[in-house]
Amino acid sequence: MSYQQLHQHFLKISHFNHLSAICDWDQAAMMPAGGNDARSAAMAELSVLIHQLTTAPQLAEWIAVAETETLTADEKVSLAALKRRWRQANLLPEELVLAQSLANSTCEHAWREQRKNNDWDGFKPNLAKVVELAREEARVRAADSGLSRYDAMLELYEPDMNCAKLDALFGEVKTWLPEFIQRADANQANKNLLTPTGPFSIAQQKDLGLAAMELLGFDFEHGRLDVSNHPFCGGVPSDVRITTRYDESDFMKALLGVIHETGHARYEQNLPLAWAGLPVGEARSTGIHESQSLFFEMQLARSPEFTQLLAPLAQRLLDRAQDPAFTVDNLYAFNTRIKRGYIRVDADELTYPAHVILRYEIERALIEGEIEVDDIPALWNEKMQAYLGLSTEGNYRDGCMQDIHWALGLFGYFPSYTLGAIYAAQEFAAATRAIEQLPAKIAAGELGELFQWLHDNIWSKASLLSTDELMIAATGEPLNARYFKAHLERRYFSVK
């Protein structure tokens, strides 16, 4: 059967993708700096090999024949996903794939030091090359799909989403977000808050992170925790690699980073084995993936109930049993404090959407050719002042150079972060309706039913359903921002 030939062919591709993912992790977490040139060349060759396999001439015939075969309903969905992956890969010429791999790897590796040194002038030519190639990719994809250039890139990460929907959704959020930030600022102005003070040793922080991962059900037989410049979840479902970064003066950065990445990892570790290695067996979208990390970090870990579990762990493993800053009430207040800051990954959940909307608006204009790389710092500063009242003039390290995404050519990715927060709020609301006495069970450390709900409604579905179908089946309706707004109102403005 041609479908079975396709199945086996894409399993072979998945093996090379497995190697690529582990090499990416090693490059970020373990590889010495001197190995970058050789590694970049090897990764470029591997990307070309994967591209060649995904565009192999016989696939067109196999797909055509498979479409006439008698398949199960799930196999039909799988075939559509295989065809979509094949079609997307065939759009890009091999020389563009190779050029992008080299340019992105070079830019990302240089970014590590250039960001530390606030070296925009050094970073700019590397980024300009990445943007040039991303625009070419967008042009090719747009010509095939009939979408705008940015929509064609967005589709790679968030199928069924487009700028019109994003503009409406983000536009709605922007109508109430500034007022919420101001109200939260005012509410916390007169509250006594004790800041946990370091130093907190990296060894202690790692032990705390591992304990949190265990509490959250991470499978250590199929994953591990390491350190990188930028926290991420990588690898493959059978070997998930998550990373964090440590600050001896602030243990919460690493801890919440670990919890965030553990949400990603639990999704990966629970994708259906029956579809492993096939596109249909992958996460539905980056927004749904991000909903899992934010479900863990924002909906669960920052809740007052989960703080009752977290505070004793922190007291014991950081040796702060007598420290008043480590009481449940104080840690909850500390983890839900509002602070307008420069760094997206350190932002609270209320100011975070402003960081994402800013990036979306800039990268959309960049890919559409409405602005150039030279325009980014000034535009970034303008939007930061408008949305958060902060200036980044001359501060590239904490401004437009802070993220790794553009260096890696990931244009169309940023909207997924706030989409994920909106999905997560809607999912948690549905889980709360479905699980009797959920808050009390969380406080007691009885998390099994919650994880089972996620498994049954999100994790096990992989890409067998469209995003709307997935959300309707899990929550009863498509994406609706009112759950996100209601969550923020409860957390920040309800009488405690």
Side-chain angles (χ1 to χ4, degrees), residues 176-194:
W176 50 258
L177 187 62
E179 180 197 353
F180 274 28
I181 294 173
Q182 290 176 358
R183 286 174 60 194
D185 272 341
N187 283 356
Q188 70 182 17
N190 297 319
K191 290 183 179 179
N192 293 323
L193 177 64
L194 298 176

Side-chain angles (χ1 to χ4, degrees), residues 14 22 50 61 70 108 110 145 239 244 262 282 292 367 397 403:
S14 77
I22 298 302
I50 293 170
E61 180 182 350
T70 301
E108 184 273 334
S145 64
D239 184 6
T244 193
T262 298
E282 297 172 359
Q292 300 311 286
I367 293 302
R397 177 178 55 249
D403 296 299

